[in-house]
Amino acid sequence: MNAIVKPALPASLVSLSPAAVARVERVRDIARQVAGPAAEAVDRDARFPHEAIDALKAERLLSAHVPERFDGLGASITELGQMCEALGQRCASAAMVFAMHQVQVACLVRHGSAPFFETYLQELVRDQRLIASVTSEAGVGGSVRTSICPIESEADGSCRVRKEGTVVSYGDAADDFLITVRRNVKSVAGDQAMVLAHKPQCEMQLVGSWDAMGMRGTCSPGYTLTARFGPEQVVPAPFADINAHTMVPWAHILWSSAWLGIATDAVARARAFVRDTGRRMAATPPTATRLSDVSTHLQLMRVHVHEWRRRYDQMTAAPDGGAQELSSVACAVQLNHLKLASSELVAEICTKALRIAGTTGYRNDSPYSIARHLRDAHSAALMIGNERIHAANGALHMVYRDDAL
């Protein structure tokens, strides 16, 4: 009697525990059964992907990274990256909302070493609260490491901040906000802190609308946000450390994972088109050569993204939590390279896939359509503008040895 042989795990899942693999598979089901069927309406109506986010909440996955001691799942960035990738293959907006939320959770898990934040993490697990980021600000030219608005102290001991956020993704759907600010009215622009404010503590004035080319379901207009909160809601760590150790690596790795999902599905559609054409011709079609080319680019992107997930988990397993390596110039530049390469590759891969599928890929009503993929992909280079990152990296390459970077 033949033994039943279980299929081998994909290489990207081998390092995960059985429980983590099961969670990733559940997200793949959500992506296929929930996020995917709603994606067209999310894109057409520029509306929040509530079906997918509600399904993720039901699986307690908004708190996936929260440590087990706070009743979370203790998920690694490798596991969360797989989830973002799976969602990105079906609905890029849902994948990006999930990724951006997890970046905020990671900042609180790693840097919120105070009773208020420990209590909040337990509330996050219990209530599956959605956290939005308010980092962009009018007047700073897109620099995350510069803030104009300060924390102001009120007579009753509370605090106040008023920030003109140029882009606040899913602000209307969020339960809480992580806001970057100047530490106080006397602080210089680079002396920053983060504040966790609950929505009932905030007054939000909508600035403009969100009728964007792609990533329409992220619902990212600007808001002028005025928050009143207690001093205990200021994250204890300096924002410079939060940014270097957590915000930048998590953003670049999880965003890239979502973009990898977009690219993967674009190539899958191009492959299906080539195969169907080949069956009709009863021969290998000319487009097969271009399919090989785009698949090569996808493989390069996949290796780069997967390697950085593994590397970050490895770094943070060190006794210092990876602080020394993550603070290094070499690491910062390499993480920027990840973002730059992934954001440029996803648009290139989608463009190549579109050219393979031709008119059928250009149409919105085709099973081979790559129109939404391409529109979503072009947002990648604008999320922290690539020109700004290239300029910063270029200056560092002028100073440091090549072998150090």
Side-chain angles (χ1 to χ4, degrees), residues 21 98 128 151 230 244 256 318 325 338 353 364 396:
V21 171
F98 185 68
Q128 293 297 295
I151 298 175
S256 293
E325 189 169 2
L338 169 67
N364 288 317
L396 291 172

Side-chain angles (χ1 to χ4, degrees), residues 31-78:
R32 184 177 61 256
Q33 298 169 10
V34 181
E40 182 179 343
V42 166
D43 178 66
R44 182 189 63 240
D45 302 334
R47 68 161 177 82
F48 185 72
H50 59 83
E51 299 94 340
I53 301 305
D54 287 348
L56 294 166
K57 287 181 177 181
E59 297 292 330
R60 294 164 57 87
L61 292 173
L62 292 196
S63 58
H65 183 59
V66 174
E68 293 179 358
R69 69 180 183 276
F70 298 126
D71 298 323
L73 302 173
S76 67
I77 200 169
T78 296

Side-chain angles (χ1 to χ4, degrees), residues 174-186:
D175 299 299
D176 305 296
F177 299 94
L178 263 180
I179 312 166
T180 52
V181 295
R182 280 194 295 143
R183 189 164 292 277
N184 55 59
V185 293
K186 296 182 179 179

Side-chain angles (χ1 to χ4, degrees), residues 37-375:
E40 182 179 343
V42 166
D43 178 66
R44 182 189 63 240
D45 302 334
R47 68 161 177 82
F48 185 72
H50 59 83
E51 299 94 340
I53 301 305
D54 287 348
L56 294 166
K57 287 181 177 181
E59 297 292 330
R60 294 164 57 87
L61 292 173
L62 292 196
S63 58
H65 183 59
V66 174
E68 293 179 358
R69 69 180 183 276
F70 298 126
D71 298 323
L73 302 173
S76 67
I77 200 169
T78 296
E79 178 181 343
L80 293 167
Q82 288 288 342
M83 293 177 182
C84 292
E85 187 177 336
L87 290 166
Q89 292 180 50
R90 305 290 178 168
C91 177
S93 290
M96 191 54 66
V97 169
F98 185 68
M100 290 189 285
H101 165 81
Q102 295 297 344
V103 173
Q104 311 315 309
V105 174
C107 290
L108 296 178
V109 168
R110 187 177 175 101
H111 305 281
S113 54
F116 174 85
F117 296 102
E118 293 179 356
T119 299
Y120 175 79
L121 291 176
Q122 295 173 64
E123 293 172 353
L124 173 61
V125 173
R126 185 187 67 228
D127 302 333
Q128 293 297 295
R129 303 177 70 85
L130 183 65
I131 312 172
S133 168
V134 190
T135 51
S136 65
E137 185 173 9
V140 300
S143 173
V144 175
R145 285 292 289 113
T146 303
S147 289
I148 295 173
C149 63
I151 298 175
E152 301 177 70
S153 297
E154 304 279 72
D156 62 358
S158 64
C159 301
R160 177 184 181 275
V161 67
R162 182 181 183 276
K163 181 163 186 175
E164 296 181 26
T166 54
V167 175
V168 182
S169 294
Y170 57 94
D172 189 53
D175 299 299
D176 305 296
F177 299 94
L178 263 180
I179 312 166
T180 52
V181 295
R182 280 194 295 143
R183 189 164 292 277
N184 55 59
V185 293
K186 296 182 179 179
S187 297
V188 297
D191 181 12
Q192 296 167 283
M194 290 194 88
V195 173
L196 176 65
H198 305 309
K199 180 169 277 184
Q201 298 176 311
C202 302
E203 297 174 8
M204 299 175 64
Q205 180 182 353
L206 183 65
V207 180
S209 60
W210 181 250
D211 187 7
M213 173 178 165
M215 287 292 181
R216 290 168 58 79
T218 61
C219 302
S220 304
Y223 288 90
T224 297
L225 188 147
T226 303
R228 292 174 174 82
F229 52 91
E232 71 279 2
Q233 293 175 243
V234 180
V235 180
F239 180 67
D241 291 343
I242 298 172
N243 189 61
H245 299 170
T246 308
M247 182 170 280
V248 166
W250 274 73
H252 289 184
I253 292 169
L254 293 189
W255 293 354
S256 293
S257 296
W259 299 331
L260 176 58
I262 298 171
T264 298
D265 193 59
V267 173
R269 292 179 180 225
R271 184 180 297 113
F273 174 81
V274 172
R275 286 175 174 170
D276 288 351
T277 303
R279 278 193 286 268
R280 289 194 300 272
M281 294 175 58
T284 301
T287 48
T289 300
R290 281 183 279 166
L291 178 62
S292 174
D293 175 60
V294 73
S295 297
T296 301
H297 286 76
L298 177 62
Q299 178 67 9
L300 288 171
M301 183 179 182
R302 181 178 292 119
V303 168
H304 198 187
V305 174
H306 287 192
E307 169 59 18
W308 258 106
R309 292 178 196 160
R310 182 202 64 78
R311 183 175 171 187
Y312 185 85
D313 280 337
Q314 186 178 55
M315 281 191 290
T316 52
D320 69 344
Q324 182 174 351
E325 189 169 2
L326 287 164
S327 298
S328 69
V329 171
C331 187
V333 171
Q334 289 165 17
L335 277 163
N336 284 342
H337 286 163
L338 169 67
K339 193 274 177 179
L340 292 165
S342 297
S343 62
E344 291 169 5
L345 273 170
V346 65
E348 181 179 353
I349 288 167
C350 289
T351 300
K352 287 176 177 289
L354 176 63
R355 290 173 179 169
I356 291 170
T359 304
T360 56
Y362 191 74
R363 290 171 52 181
N364 288 317
D365 60 352
S366 161
Y368 308 110
S369 178
I370 302 166
R372 173 161 49 87
H373 300 66
L374 187 58
R375 288 188 288 102

